Amino acid sequence: DHVKVLNLITNLSFHPQQYARILKGIPKEKVALVASYHPTEVKSADAWVAAAQELATYYDLTTMSVAYPPALPKLREIKEKFAAVGVDHFIQPFIGEYEGKLYPQAYTEEERALIREVIYSRHDYEFLLNLKKPGLCNAGFKYLFIDPYGLVKPCGGADHGRILGDLTASPKVEFLDGPRPCPAAACQCDTENIQTKVFEDHYAWTDKNQHRFAYRFAE
C-alpha cells in the first residue's frame, strides 16, 4: 500500500500475457516497465515490436536499445520503427568492451554526433556518454538502495562507505539530512544518475515510468 510505483526492467523474453500472470495481484496502475531491445539477440524484430505493442496495452511501457558499435548505422531506423507503431523508445550509449576498445570512451566524434541525434535527453548524453561528474546527489536523502541482503545504502553504484539500515534486523532507516557530493567520478546507471541534484533541478517526470521525463524549461 505504501509503494507508489514499481519500475521493472525486462528483455521481453516472456509472452506479454505471461507478465500479467507474473504480476497478478499488483495493481496495473502501479507498474511501469522498461523493455530492452537487443537486435542481435531476437529472432524477429517485427515480432518483438509487436510484443511490445501488446504489453503496452497492459502496462505503462517504454523500450530501449543500446548504441552497440555494429548497430550505429541503424540507430535512426530502429528509433523510427518504434515511433511508427506508437511505442516509446530511447537509445543509450554502449558501456563495455568491443574489439579491444572501451566504450563509451572509444566513440569517435562522428559517432557521438549520431548518438546525440537519437538519444533521449541531454542528461543521458552528458552522464552516460560524456561521463559527467555527478556532483551533488540525493542518494541517501530522497533515494535509498536496498541490496539483496536487506542492507540499506545511499546508492547502488558509488561506494559511500555508509550503511543506513539493515532491514533484516529493524525497519529503522537513517536518512541523510540533504544532498551530498557523489564520491564517484562518473555515474553510468540511469537508475542512479536521475537522483542527482542537477537532474532534479532541470527535469521532471511526466508519469510513473522512470525513463519518461521532460526538461522543466521551455528553451
Side-chain angles (χ1 to χ4, degrees):
D1 291 341
H2 299 289
V3 174
K4 185 177 180 181
V5 180
L6 179 65
N7 268 277
L8 300 173
I9 299 173
T10 176
N11 59 10
L12 201 49
S13 56
F14 297 139
H15 187 279
Q17 292 179 1
Q18 192 169 346
Y19 287 90
R21 291 195 292 271
I22 292 169
L23 298 170
K24 185 178 180 180
I26 302 174
K28 286 185 178 181
E29 62 273 13
K30 289 191 175 187
V31 176
L33 299 172
V34 174
S36 55
Y37 173 62
H38 304 276
T40 59
E41 304 301 317
V42 300
K43 293 180 180 179
S44 167
D46 290 339
W48 198 97
V49 172
Q53 281 183 283
E54 182 177 346
L55 190 58
T57 65
Y58 303 148
Y59 298 104
D60 182 309
L61 175 77
T62 58
T63 62
M64 66 86 66
S65 57
V66 172
Y68 192 53
L72 288 172
K74 295 187 176 181
L75 290 185
R76 291 192 193 93
E77 178 186 329
I78 289 171
K79 192 166 184 177
E80 288 169 0
K81 186 181 187 72
F82 283 90
V85 296
V87 175
D88 286 347
H89 191 77
F90 63 94
I91 293 170
Q92 291 187 333
F94 171 63
I95 298 170
E97 187 177 327
Y98 177 74
E99 293 189 340
K101 297 179 181 179
L102 188 63
Y103 287 82
Q105 295 91 326
Y107 284 120
T108 66
E109 289 305 312
E110 291 78 11
E111 290 169 340
R112 288 171 181 270
L114 173 60
I115 293 170
R116 182 161 187 161
E117 287 181 28
V118 296
I119 205 164
Y120 186 78
S121 68
R122 180 176 174 180
H123 182 83
D124 281 2
Y125 183 80
E126 295 292 352
F127 274 82
L128 300 178
L129 186 66
N130 291 339
L131 305 182
K132 177 182 174 71
K133 190 172 176 61
L136 285 177
C137 187
N138 288 313
F141 173 47
K142 295 183 177 180
Y143 169 78
L144 298 173
F145 175 82
I146 304 169
D147 76 7
Y149 303 101
L151 293 180
V152 182
K153 303 174 183 180
C155 167
D159 182 9
H160 291 257
R162 187 164 185 169
I163 303 298
L164 304 178
D166 181 354
L167 299 185
T168 65
S170 168
K172 185 177 180 181
V173 174
E174 173 196 358
F175 284 84
L176 301 181
D177 57 5
R180 302 283 181 88
C182 177
C187 182
Q188 292 178 277
C189 175
D190 67 350
T191 304
E192 306 292 355
N193 65 46
I194 55 177
Q195 313 304 331
T196 53
K197 189 69 168 59
V198 69
F199 179 90
E200 182 181 52
D201 290 344
H202 291 89
Y203 292 88
W205 277 281
T206 54
D207 63 19
K208 62 193 172 189
N209 200 295
Q210 70 181 32
H211 214 289
R212 194 179 290 124
F213 53 84
Y215 197 57
R216 287 184 183 273
F217 309 101
E219 71 275 13

